[in-house]
Amino acid sequence: MFGQQPGDLYRLRAQTSGKYQFRELRAKSQLINCTAPDAGLHNIATMNSNIEDGEPRTREDAHAFTAATTTAVPSAENSSASEVDGTWGERDVGGPVTHRMAMDDYENLRRELTNLSQTQSRASAKSTSRMGRLRSHTAQSKKSQASQSRQRRPSSESTKAEDLEAGDAQGMPPKEEEFELGPFIKEGHFEKRTEEGHSAKKVGVTFKDLTVKGTGSMASFARTLPDAILGTFGPDLYRIISGFIPALKFQHGGESRTLIDNFTGVVRNGELMLVLGRPGSGCTTFLKALANKRSEYASVTGDVSYGGISASEQNKRYRGEVNYNPEDDQHFPSLNVWQTLKFSLMTKTRKRHRSKIDTIIDALMKMFGISHTKKTLVGNEMVHGISGGERKRVSIAETLATKSTVVCWDNSTRGLDASTALDYANSLRIMTDVSDRTTLVTLYQAGEGIYELMDKVLVIDEGRMVYQGPAKEAKQYFLDLGFSCPDRQTTADFLTSVTDPNQRILRKGFEHSAPRTPTEFERIYKNSEVYKKVLADLDDYQAHIQNTGAQDARQFKQSVQEQKSKFVSKNSSFTVSLWRQILACTTREFWLVWGDKPTLYTKFFIIVSNGLIVGSLFYDQPNSTEGAFPRGGTLFFSILFLGWLQLTELMKAVSGRVVIARHKDYAFYRPSAVALARVLADFPLIIVQVVIFGIIMYFMTNLYVDVSKFFIYELFVYTTTICITALYRMFAALSPTIDDAVRFSGTALNLLIIFTGYVIAKPELVGQKIWFGWLYYINPIAYSFEGVISNEFSGRVMQCATSQLVPQGPGVLPQYQGCAQSGAQLGSNTVTGEQYLAKTYNYSRSNLWRNFGVVIAFTVLYIIVTVMGAELFQFVGSGGGAMVFKKGAKPDLASGSKVTDSEKGGESGDGSVSSGHLNTEKEEDSVPHTGTSDEVFTWTDVEYSVPYEGSQRKLLNSVNGYAKPGVMIALMGASGAGKTTLLNTLSQRQNMGTTTGEMLIDGKPLGKEFQRVTGFVEQQDIHDGTSTIREAIEFSATLRQDRHIPHDEKMAYVKEIIDLLELGEIQDALIKSLGVEQRKRVTIAVELAAKPSLLFLDEPTSGLDSQSAYSVVRFLRKLSRAGHGLIVTIHQPSSLLVQQFDMILALNPGGNTFYFGPVGDNGAAVNSYFSKRGVVCPPQKNIAEFILETAIKGGKRSDGKRLDWNKEWKNSPENASLITEITRIKSDRSKLPAKETTQYEYASPVWLQTTTLTRRMFTQHWRDPSYYYGKLFVAVITGVFNGFTFYKLGNSVADLQDRMFTSFLIILIPPTVVNAVVPKFYQNMGLWMAREQPSRIYGWFAFCTASVVTEIPISIVSALVYWVLWYWPTGLPTDSSTAGYVFLMTVLFFLFQASWGQWICAFAPSFTVISNVLPFFFVMFSLFNGVVRPYSQLSVFWKYWMYYLNPSTYWVGGVMAATLPTVQVTCASQEAAYFDPPPGQTCLQYAGAFVKEAGVGYLTNPDAMRECGYCQFRTGEEYIAALNVVPSD
């Protein structure tokens, strides 16, 4: 085909006809004729300003000009614009194109465009001003003029004024209407253009024998707690190590499954291919394989080439030029829309072109109608931001910002309404045409207008290619095979339905010859003429590459290289240098921080408040020796606290992985750039924290007031905080999940605290604690602590405190006194700081800068490991995993061999499982027996307002209607019209704002059981993911059906529901492993299990393919026939779907009704209403799209005045009859006798609620073992380190202090455990508040009780493990009463910390606030218990309430009271205070009276005549008395 002359092409295609062929001919000719440049073909609208004689000066002229230049089919049907009026993307009628006419048109057009292209640069300024006037021409183009070739969608300028399309097309601000994509691209904003106007980057994609295999089987079993525990030192350890060292992996041919099998074909540059198939058929796999995203698959074989560039070379050098846009919209929620797009372009634009970035951003936002969201947060499920549809558009815009050449779009219209989806498809069409891009797209519910924009279509059935070829020929191909396409079914839906045994319809006479299995489809296709043409096309394209010497590829490579910054390697995939990537990511980090202001403000509040609290705890410490040890505590806490607070960085580091992985694929930046950018962003953010905290702490606690010492203190606090933050991020980079990251980071922090040298002084730690003492040397906090404490004590001379002078009393002379302070010299009443540090800690001020260097070295080490981890490991999971079943279940999953066709009357072997479709071929009479009520629900003048910027914003405005049993109502409207708001209001689920109006059941006010007896199917399919399908339905039936119904009857009804929804084969599958459509059916089943009289459903078809959507709606239809009333919001309904509904309630933005009435046969009733007002729905038009477009575009009367549909409805006779009907219903139904039954808010009694929920929560923890496992992990690690660090404690004073600290160290466990409790409790509370409480399934008592009860067993086991590993090695008393008491206290402590975490979580307004508030609680818990700061030294403010309010006071006091009193103290030589007695006196004679009067301590050498030693404690009882603890405690 390539290398031929235009005439040859036309002869080659002479037998083809129709408008599509003409467009294709021009497109192909363009490839071989440089004088008809690509840009020129697309530049009619832009360049028309250069038409000197015929330049249109007015909008009317533009209309005429456009009509003149776009008439490609001079047939009777097409001769007048008015005759194709109002087709809105549907197929229009048109006569065949003659060869002569086509050639004449082509030659005229070519000459004109060649002339125009020569003046492109001069024209750009003038043409821009006329973009708006010639909008429709380019906006509807395909290969520069779809209207010229196909007239797919008539332009607004070529239609009469009465046509709705001539109205305000999108209801957008005027400036958004003015934007035009085609000319914008041609001006070179998105890419380099050649001198002839071509795109400089264009490569087609070829694939030969492409086969992809996935790992694992179709089903697996749930991993439980025993699996997790047993796997710790076996399989799990091996998997972790082999993940770091791939060479250790055993090479065995594990179980694999073929995902796509032997695909061959080509998508040329400038072509748009639609990939169709049921969910699970392999569409996503195919797109990922072509986009070179192969890491998640077991193997990818076959050859994929990009215009002659191999897949391996593409991945290495041009990764960002071939992109895959995933179905899910993952963004940083605290960035706004502008920032998200700005960042994308910053990393894809070299420095000298950065001035264009803002222009491109504005263009992208205008293109998708999101300019109004510029400064709005993108948001996600947890953060309020733009709507789901707008977020989808941001994803699309971000992908376009990559300026890539090949783009694969995966179900990108999910969440968009029909009108926006078509606009999006048009944008893709233009981008593909003008930029000569290669575009592949898979869509689940593609309307006919979208389908007609496609060049090629590929249909996949269970991984097999059953059709690939021209889109226009696909329908006929399957019709010829013997399949029938129902009226009003879109072509895309028809092609997908052919692969579904439950949906396909055979034509008469083809019952035995039509293919049934994927293998049969593939065999027939590969023997067809269509496939031979595909192979010929492939050979032709490869021949073109060979003949031209891969000119396109060379030009592509050159263009890519020219786009790069000059500092970027030729072999790099990235556009800008690593330094520029880091700067861009740093900018984004600041945006992220500023975008999440609540977290920022909370963090600074915690810093200030804790600084004040801890500062007051150590307030105005004395300069005497009495302040020596507390000063160490002050400094220890100073270097630790801000690092402790940085634990919140873990969530940020892990949660952003999905976005970072996608950006890496887009070649925006290296993951290491993010790691380094976070460090750069830390520098200013942490310095602000350190300055605030440091000033408060330093001056409140009376540290050495010296400018150099203050700045050294701040410097060490600053570097240590950065170091600890880097440590956390290192664990985050190496941890698969947030649970792992928290567990490892929490444990590491605990070890850093223990081995700092403060709790256990350095000499003892490195000299005696042989088990783990060496950890001191690899602990950065230890070096930092030595730095700050040596800085503080150097040059300080401490007067011995009166209480520490020995002996004291009558007759004691000062020169014969000693000081009971470590480091004191014989006969001296003062202690220098240097002496104190050398004796107590073995520290020296001379090591100050060495220590600073070591902290920096550790920081650099952690950052290097983080960078390596970010580059080497990718923990982002892929979708489409195996289905997970509970242990002991027998999954009956279909394999490819088990298929029976519903056409033969048998059950579909795979219909309900592998693809998850309902069998709608069952006889129509199989109506479920689920409806139990004849009540009628009415609502009158319903209004709903929310607070907005100081006033009230009305979201619903005087909405009226009714819902009768057996009637199914479709709630429709454009995005933001208030559909979900109305649904929530009617179902009594609004928890904010003001609702007015009248809502009645049978003319009576709603009772308290209304929410219980109505079902609400939420859009978000919220479930306990660890429950099986059967368990979830049983749970709902048990707690929501009437309390007087026997249990066996409820379970029988559950079986009926499971059969009805065809969930039987997968009833033991865990919900979290289900696909979208299966989860939707489970959601409906859970609500049906309650036997509701009225069912509300919010977007039940969102995210489903057309077959699944049809299945769900057909099933809802069955429910309606069973006697249920249904109110359903619906987004993109096809003609077939709409026909299933009885009535439509249509809303306009602002919550205004503009239609409520019957649908009618083929929408006759709807059409009747609108046609009376001058707006007629064309015969083939989808009535739902007609309603949506009518609402958006308004329309005009015959007199030219604009229609206000809200007023039209209010003043219509139809509205008057509706109000009359509501009044009649209220009057008639209110006369019925009231039911004589007691109304219960909850169907089941509290005891049943509690026991059932408790059982479910235990199952949840069992099947999701990370939570229980994490608790055991922390207990084991902390127990081992605590027990063996303090191994076999002796009887010295230091050992006495160690006995206190070993008991005290249990308070290191809560930070880690509570950080695990909080998300788990928050998740369960979220499920309860979002779905189960509004449905009145169970109340707060059941929820709280179950949450507490499920913590008890694991707390007892964890306490036992910790106690055994800690208590016995330390050598604490082993008598049964003491050991038993300590065990009991340990159990109580573990129970307390779980309930404490739940208590904090229950009060906090959001998860973010909880994360930042936790350190506040931990500080109070750890410090105000008399250990770090003895009770006697507490300030009066805290002494008499916080000390006694703190639970840890009682734990530490109780354990010390049990374990210490009986210890007989033997002072080590360096622990005694020494003094000389007066000449001639023994130590006992001189100091005996003092010891006797003091009542504590003893003389170590009573008979000596010099160097008397005084040990300050004789027994442990004396020691604990100083801590305000007595044995009776």
Side-chain angles (χ1 to χ4, degrees), residues 1167-1195:
N1167 198 15
S1168 169
Y1169 173 79
F1170 287 99
S1171 60
K1172 288 176 188 173
R1173 288 150 182 83
V1175 182
V1176 182
C1177 178
Q1180 294 301 311
K1181 181 68 180 174
N1182 176 349
I1183 198 72
E1185 290 182 9
F1186 169 74
I1187 289 178
L1188 285 173
E1189 291 176 6
T1190 301
I1192 292 170
K1193 296 171 182 170

Side-chain angles (χ1 to χ4, degrees), residues 1220-1239:
T1220 304
E1221 174 66 4
I1222 293 172
T1223 306
R1224 185 194 64 75
I1225 291 170
K1226 290 194 289 190
S1227 173
D1228 292 353
R1229 304 292 298 182
S1230 61
K1231 294 173 186 173
L1232 296 174
K1235 293 181 182 176
E1236 307 236 343
T1237 55
T1238 308
Q1239 286 210 355

Side-chain angles (χ1 to χ4, degrees), residues 1149-1220:
N1152 296 289
T1153 308
F1154 72 95
Y1155 181 77
F1156 181 59
V1159 178
D1161 187 30
N1162 284 332
V1166 176
N1167 198 15
S1168 169
Y1169 173 79
F1170 287 99
S1171 60
K1172 288 176 188 173
R1173 288 150 182 83
V1175 182
V1176 182
C1177 178
Q1180 294 301 311
K1181 181 68 180 174
N1182 176 349
I1183 198 72
E1185 290 182 9
F1186 169 74
I1187 289 178
L1188 285 173
E1189 291 176 6
T1190 301
I1192 292 170
K1193 296 171 182 170
K1196 295 183 180 179
R1197 302 175 186 275
S1198 55
D1199 59 6
K1201 288 185 179 176
R1202 191 172 179 79
L1203 282 164
D1204 183 334
W1205 289 114
N1206 304 336
K1207 286 184 180 176
E1208 287 292 327
W1209 172 254
K1210 261 189 177 161
N1211 301 328
S1212 68
E1214 288 84 356
N1215 185 37
S1217 62
L1218 166 66
I1219 293 169
T1220 304

Side-chain angles (χ1 to χ4, degrees), residues 1296-1462:
L1296 206 62
Q1297 187 167 312
D1298 287 347
R1299 285 171 186 263
M1300 175 194 72
F1301 271 123
T1302 191
S1303 304
F1304 174 73
L1305 286 183
I1306 197 173
I1307 69 163
L1308 296 178
I1309 296 178
T1312 310
V1313 169
V1314 171
N1315 269 305
V1317 169
V1318 163
K1320 177 64 75 174
F1321 183 83
Y1322 200 79
Q1323 172 190 330
N1324 286 330
M1325 187 170 73
L1327 173 64
W1328 176 60
M1329 295 178 74
R1331 189 173 69 79
E1332 294 175 335
Q1333 164 65 5
S1335 296
R1336 300 297 185 263
I1337 302 180
Y1338 54 86
W1340 67 267
F1341 181 84
F1343 174 71
C1344 295
T1345 305
S1347 298
V1348 171
V1349 169
T1350 50
E1351 292 288 349
I1352 293 173
I1354 192 64
S1355 296
I1356 292 172
V1357 173
S1358 300
L1360 175 64
V1361 168
Y1362 175 79
W1363 177 76
V1364 167
L1365 292 173
W1366 157 64
Y1367 192 81
W1368 300 101
T1370 51
L1372 295 175
T1374 55
D1375 60 284
S1376 57
S1377 59
T1378 305
Y1381 172 80
V1382 174
F1383 172 65
L1384 177 64
M1385 290 290 281
T1386 307
V1387 170
L1388 290 173
F1389 185 87
F1390 273 78
L1391 289 170
F1392 158 76
Q1393 67 182 357
S1395 60
W1396 186 38
Q1398 294 175 341
W1399 173 80
I1400 294 170
C1401 202
F1403 279 96
S1406 75
F1407 189 78
T1408 308
V1409 171
I1410 297 169
S1411 303
N1412 282 290
V1413 165
L1414 283 177
F1416 170 80
F1417 285 103
F1418 296 150
V1419 165
M1420 304 299 286
F1421 184 72
S1422 306
L1423 297 185
F1424 290 89
N1425 48 35
V1427 174
V1428 176
R1429 184 79 159 152
Y1431 177 77
S1432 58
Q1433 296 177 11
L1434 285 175
S1435 63
V1436 174
F1437 179 75
W1438 301 114
K1439 196 171 191 174
Y1440 297 109
W1441 69 282
M1442 180 50 72
Y1443 175 82
Y1444 292 102
L1445 203 62
N1446 190 349
S1448 65
T1449 299
Y1450 301 96
W1451 197 90
V1452 173
V1455 172
M1456 286 197 297
T1459 57
L1460 264 68
T1462 57

Side-chain angles (χ1 to χ4, degrees), residues 642-692:
L642 291 177
W644 197 359
L645 197 63
Q646 290 292 95
L647 204 60
T648 53
E649 290 296 310
L650 281 177
M651 182 59 84
K652 283 168 64 177
V654 175
S655 61
R657 277 179 181 165
V658 179
V659 183
I660 292 168
R662 191 177 79 249
H663 286 176
K664 178 187 175 185
D665 290 335
Y666 287 178
F668 282 172
Y669 51 79
R670 292 182 173 280
S672 55
V674 181
L676 294 170
R678 284 174 173 159
V679 177
L680 281 184
D682 282 342
F683 290 152
L685 291 172
I686 290 178
I687 203 166
V688 175
Q689 299 174 26
V690 167
V691 167
I692 294 171

Side-chain angles (χ1 to χ4, degrees), residues 856-928:
I856 289 178
F858 273 111
T859 306
V860 172
L861 173 67
Y862 297 150
I863 292 170
I864 290 171
V865 175
T866 306
V867 166
M868 292 172 63
E871 289 289 340
L872 297 176
F873 305 122
Q874 188 169 321
F875 297 111
V876 179
S878 59
M883 200 174 284
V884 180
F885 288 80
K886 73 174 184 179
K887 281 283 180 76
K890 295 180 179 178
D892 186 19
L893 279 181
S895 61
S897 59
K898 183 189 171 190
V899 178
T900 51
D901 282 337
S902 54
E903 290 97 336
K904 295 179 181 176
E907 291 218 359
S908 166
D910 66 37
S912 64
V913 183
S914 61
S915 65
H917 290 312
L918 295 172
N919 187 352
T920 54
E921 293 296 320
K922 287 186 175 181
E923 59 275 13
E924 283 294 318
D925 296 330
S926 61
V927 176

